[in-house]
Amino acid sequence: MSTEGLPGQVVEAEQTAMSSTLANITVDKLDDSVKNWLNDQNTQTLNGALAFVPFILQEAHFEGNLDEKQIVIHRGTGGVVFSDASGFTALTEKLAKKSNGAELLSQCLTAFFTPLIDLINAYRGDTIKFSGDALTIYFPSVDDTKCSAFNGIVPPHGSFGLADLGPMATAVLRASACCIEIHKRLHMFETGVDDVRLCLHIGVGCGEITILQVGGIVPPETHVPRIEYLISGAPLEQISIAEPLAKNGETCLSPQAWELIKDCVIEGRPLEDRMDFHLLLRMDESKYTFPTIKYATQLYDTRMDNCFKLAELNITRRYIPSAVFKQIECGTLQYVNEMRNISVIFINGSGLDVMSENGPKQAQELMSSVQKVCYAHEGTLNKFLIDDKGMLFLLVFGLPPLVHPDDPTRAVLSAMELVQVFKRLDLIGRFGVTTGRSYCGVCGSAKRMEYTVLGDCVNLSARLMTNAPPLGCLTDEETSKHSTGEVVFKALAPIKVKGKVNAIPIFKPLPRDTTSSIGVTMERKIRFPWYDIPLDGSTLNSKDAVSTCKAKVQHLCSINKWAAGIKIAEMLGGPFNKALHGPEQTLGSSSNSRVKAPPNSPFAEGGLVVIEGQTGLGKIELAEHCVTHCAIQFNMLPIFGTMGPRPGESTRMAVELIRSTIGIYRNLNANVPTADDQALTQLVPPQHAGCQPILRDLLCSRATTDSAEVLDAAMKVIVAMISDLKKKTGILIVVQFEQGTSLFDKTTQDDLAVFWKITGELGKLIAKEKSVAGLVLVRKADKEQPCVRDAMAAGNLLTLKGLSEENILEYMANYLGIPEQSVPPPLRRFVSQVTMGNPLYIRETLDQLLEEQNLKVKPGASATLGAGALDKIDIAAWNHTAMVGGTVCSIESLDPIETAALKMSTCFEGPFTLPDLAASSCSQWGGSTHFDLLRLFRATRKLVMRGFIDKVQAPQRDTPRSDQQPKSQFGDTQYFQMQSALIRTVGAAMVLEAQKKSVKRNALIDRVLKQDLPERMTELAAKKSVQHIPWYYERALRRMLP
């Protein structure tokens, strides 16, 4: 296992070097065989990608209307059909309980949607949107008489002897005929699952429509902007009324659609409530039949002439989720279908008319704003559409590769932030947030499909959205249970919703009240920011955060031979003192206070200490130890400023810096007002008096806009106040940036740039003043920053790694409250293998063992293990922990080929080679090429770079092969091994037993073939080179010879 970081950490330098090397390869330097292989791969990708792009978008490109900056890409007229299926919710709920539920549901969806979409295409319908199990279909009005294929014999409607109806009426006639045939073929469709049947109810409208493309913000996991398209216009309003009027197996036409084809069809039962809408019974077969209409429609269908070719492959990427596109590229699209736990936000928006003059621009602004919020929290915007419920957004948290242990919290925080977006744009929004197990995968057929989510959780989100007040948000019970404590959930009266027998509990999410006190408090204690913000990978659900944090400091920092602790002890001039971290300890209460720190210590001479390391390795514990020791022993009072783990919190850092600075003034002068805004008026230097209004607003409202003006004003005042304070007392400035569970650097790069800018300004002050020291806590220090370079030059850069075996034993004993010799050796080995020495993971592992009664502790005495073996424990089920949940998320964030390689790697107990992996994914005996093997090699190299697997020496063989065997001209074979028990266990849980056996069997067969086949082929060639005379010819020849 790499010692440079935990699994999932990207090694930037190596990745950049490899990318720059590949960038030097140009197409003209490639061999023809390579070009042919690439052409075949791209052709397969294009064929799969076209199913995600409607015909109208492809046509708009060839008409020059699909430029990324163009919002309106099509204006036209035609019929619009909204087809809603009944029975999918019951089907999804039943299959969600089965181990192969995703596979069965995928088969049902394909079996149902394949004939449905075939019928739609046959009548020249264009499936614009999938709304879960519902479809929005556009039948464009086209004058076929002007088509080059028009023969003048068969009329556009297909019935000889009847006058042409005109493009619009023909389009509605085709839509109606299509609906009739759909009902005939698919009504009461048998799924084969517990007598669940599917049926459709359909609404039809017509008129002018507009198709827009909006968005264009780049998601964190890719470099391609994501664009959503939607259809709008009067027909959408018509079908929002018509579709609910139709019962299962019925089609309802709007008055506008009925007027055009009333002489072509037979009306069904009258609608007493809406006499202007009409049910469609059947075609008037004395004039028109759906077979003849379908024949004429197909005869003049020229849409295939305007389909995307290879040159347009990259255009399709804008409209397809990146994870889905990668699966298409790898030929593994079937693997996206799965049942998984997700958090869903349904948003209903009103107050925006996209058909108005400024409507498209407003839609673009709204969409881009929603995308920014969603992507900042690493979510997925799955849908944006206008249907019978109005303007709808569907945001999903927990879809690969953006999977996090805290997705419910991310969803709620996003919804609360989006409320402010709608308020800023003067729009009305209603929000529903739910969490649960749902089907996530493709819905449709090979000709037209979309990636969607289906299930009770998704439906409930829509119901909560409907019941939410304007600019309000409602959540379900599951979301409130799985929150990290950053949001408070207020229970409301249960409500009855469609599809539920009993009333369901609902909650209103509210921002968590945080104490305004930070740093030195009025009680002369130190209030650390991580008491109120989850900066250490844990949650805020502890009843006593202060005691919990102090206990963690005592357990970790009291380890005698911990390298990081020894380094800090040298700087502080003494070992860790537990007495300083008591719950009642106050500043100035210690009887053995010292005057100054040891010589050459940054806490004596001024300087910056940088501590870097992954979450949970002990950065915060060390910082609390340093701050407490410096404050009590050296009278160096702390100033705090932190950012993260949520996006856009640079203003919070400024607020913390100001409040903790004011806290020191109060500690030194009892006359400083207790109200921060009043204290600010008294303390701000006269030359910065103009900044006071900005800072008052900042302190009172905790502004969410990260304005450069606000930060500049805050930094001027902070630096001036610290410059004044240093004359009165020593100061220790502590700044921290925490990425939390975010997976991609792009998500945090803007906030990280602001953090280093603020840290750089404070670093300049620290470098000049001996009475001011600094402490920087980050996951990975930026070596290009001057302040970091200064710390490195002074030997004050600490890189935290996992605890050693000896440290782990001592830490376990401290945490369990027992002597070291009482820790069972099997427990020590198990914890060491699973946790990689991460203190956070050690605590979680011990907590889970205690909770599941695999471990029993007698405080102060002993610990005993349960009856079961530790290696039989299913740690993969601990996905709610940072250890397992974070590992799962890191695996989910990989590309498809990398994920497949990692899963195959878990099947080998010992070392393995690249050909061992290739035997199951791209075997040379199965027709794969060297280029397929190269892709696998690249994926394996990335796994090594990110610490999932390691390069190891070739294993020693008991019976070495013959030395006469020729050596490869490329050198020795490289061996790999998965040495992390955590990754192996979690990854193996994602692989079926049959798949494990298959991987091992294929690798064994490949090894045997490569070892024995060349020799046998040589023998066979030698035999063939010798002229062979059959025995019967040989006998005859001997008789003939003298």
Side-chain angles (χ1 to χ4, degrees), residues 59 187 363 433 776:
E59 182 181 314
H187 184 55
V433 184
V776 179

Side-chain angles (χ1 to χ4, degrees), residues 38-107:
L38 289 172
N39 186 72
D40 292 341
Q41 292 291 320
N42 287 336
T43 300
Q44 294 175 17
T45 302
L46 177 66
N47 292 336
L50 285 179
F52 290 83
V53 184
F55 285 114
I56 198 68
L57 265 69
Q58 301 176 55
E59 182 181 314
H61 169 72
F62 290 106
E63 292 175 354
N65 296 329
L66 207 61
D67 184 85
E68 287 187 36
K69 297 181 180 179
Q70 189 165 341
I71 301 176
V72 178
I73 61 174
H74 175 80
R75 293 188 189 274
T77 58
V80 178
V81 171
F82 186 76
S83 168
D84 193 9
S86 299
F88 270 113
T89 300
L91 179 65
T92 305
E93 288 180 359
K94 290 180 181 294
L95 294 180
K97 302 174 184 177
K98 299 187 178 183
S99 59
N100 61 340
E103 182 181 358
L104 294 175
L105 182 55
S106 176
Q107 293 172 358

Side-chain angles (χ1 to χ4, degrees), residues 520 524-526 528 550 572 577-596 624-638 729-730 732:
V520 180
R524 297 184 61 78
K525 294 183 178 181
I526 301 176
F528 291 89
K550 287 186 177 296
L572 297 175
N577 184 354
K578 285 187 178 182
L580 299 181
H581 296 271
E584 302 303 322
Q585 182 66 261
T586 59
L587 300 181
S589 62
S590 178
S591 59
N592 56 345
S593 297
R594 294 175 51 181
V595 177
K596 61 183 301 185
E624 186 162 341
H625 167 37
C626 289
V627 170
T628 304
H629 190 103
C630 289
I632 296 175
Q633 299 285 50
F634 311 147
N635 197 32
M636 295 185 72
L637 302 182
T729 183
L732 177 58

Side-chain angles (χ1 to χ4, degrees), residues 801-982:
K801 301 176 182 179
L803 300 177
S804 66
E805 294 277 348
E806 186 179 0
N807 295 157
I808 291 174
L809 174 61
E810 188 174 353
Y811 185 64
M812 291 171 61
N814 291 344
Y815 188 72
L816 295 175
I818 58 176
E820 289 184 34
Q821 58 271 23
S822 298
V823 177
L827 176 64
R828 174 183 174 180
R829 289 193 296 271
F830 175 76
V831 172
S832 177
Q833 291 173 357
V834 169
T835 64
M836 298 170 291
N838 186 307
L840 172 61
Y841 294 177
I842 294 173
R843 295 195 300 270
E844 290 181 332
T845 301
L846 295 175
D847 288 342
Q848 288 299 128
L849 293 175
L850 289 168
E851 182 180 331
E852 297 173 3
Q853 297 186 345
N854 291 305
L855 174 66
K856 295 181 180 179
V857 175
K858 190 175 182 181
S862 62
T864 56
L865 295 174
L870 290 175
D871 57 357
K872 300 298 182 183
I873 295 174
D874 182 19
I875 66 172
W878 301 350
N879 53 13
H880 58 283
T881 64
M883 178 179 73
V884 176
T887 304
V888 170
C889 298
S890 295
I891 294 174
E892 295 271 22
S893 69
L894 297 171
D895 284 345
I897 297 181
E898 296 165 17
T899 303
L902 184 137
K903 290 179 179 178
M904 288 188 290
S905 300
T906 65
C907 301
F908 300 98
E909 294 294 333
F912 58 89
T913 64
L914 187 66
D916 290 335
L917 301 181
S920 294
S921 59
C922 52
S923 173
Q924 68 181 87
W925 318 109
S928 296
T929 67
H930 291 298
F931 307 114
D932 297 304
L933 188 62
L934 183 62
R935 294 171 72 186
L936 181 60
F937 167 73
R938 186 170 180 267
T940 307
R941 177 172 173 170
K942 283 191 174 182
L943 292 178
V944 173
M945 290 165 56
R946 296 186 63 175
F948 287 105
I949 60 176
D950 302 290
K951 293 180 180 181
V952 296
Q953 296 295 322
Q956 297 295 324
R957 301 181 181 276
D958 296 332
T959 56
R961 295 180 184 176
S962 172
D963 294 335
Q964 299 177 356
Q965 210 168 3
K967 232 181 179 182
S968 170
Q969 60 176 321
F970 300 107
D972 296 332
T973 300
Q974 177 64 63
Y975 281 81
F976 306 92
Q977 187 170 6
M978 181 171 287
Q979 297 182 340
S980 168
L982 173 62

Side-chain angles (χ1 to χ4, degrees), residues 151-333:
N151 54 22
I153 300 174
V154 180
H157 52 64
S159 294
F160 293 96
L162 296 178
D164 184 14
L165 297 174
M168 178 64 110
T170 302
V172 177
L173 183 66
R174 289 169 179 165
S176 302
C178 179
C179 296
I180 291 173
E181 187 168 1
I182 286 172
H183 287 312
K184 285 183 177 293
R185 292 177 180 265
L186 297 176
H187 184 55
M188 300 301 289
F189 180 84
E190 293 186 5
T191 63
V193 178
D194 297 341
D195 295 326
V196 175
R197 294 174 181 265
L198 306 178
C199 46
L200 297 164
H201 47 106
I202 304 173
V204 181
C206 68
E208 295 184 357
I209 68 101
T210 300
I211 295 180
L212 299 84
Q213 61 172 6
V214 291
I217 306 301
V218 180
E221 76 278 12
T222 182
H223 64 280
V224 181
R226 184 77 170 91
I227 295 177
E228 288 286 340
Y229 52 87
L230 70 153
I231 181 171
S232 62
L236 275 297
E237 299 176 9
Q238 298 169 24
I239 60 176
S240 68
I241 303 172
E243 181 267 330
L245 294 175
K247 296 181 179 179
N248 287 334
E250 294 182 338
T251 297
C252 180
L253 275 66
S254 70
Q256 295 84 349
W258 176 257
E259 187 63 29
L260 291 172
I261 63 162
K262 61 183 179 181
D263 297 328
C264 309
V265 298
I266 304 299
E267 184 178 5
R269 62 178 178 85
L271 296 170
E272 298 180 358
D273 295 336
R274 292 300 301 261
M275 297 298 293
D276 51 337
F277 283 75
H278 304 267
L279 293 179
L280 179 64
L281 181 61
R282 65 177 188 273
M283 305 300 298
D284 185 349
E285 296 173 357
S286 64
K287 300 177 182 177
Y288 306 96
T289 63
F290 59 79
T292 54
I293 295 173
K294 181 164 62 175
Y295 172 77
T297 303
Q298 295 174 336
L299 186 63
Y300 303 132
D301 189 356
T302 60
R303 292 181 298 178
M304 298 306 296
D305 298 339
N306 288 327
C307 276
F308 283 162
K309 307 297 187 294
L310 277 179
E312 291 79 39
L313 176 59
N314 281 334
I315 297 177
T316 65
R317 301 189 67 171
R318 307 176 198 165
Y319 308 99
I320 305 174
S322 64
V324 176
F325 191 86
K326 288 176 181 177
Q327 296 282 10
I328 296 172
E329 283 185 309
C330 298
T332 55
L333 185 61

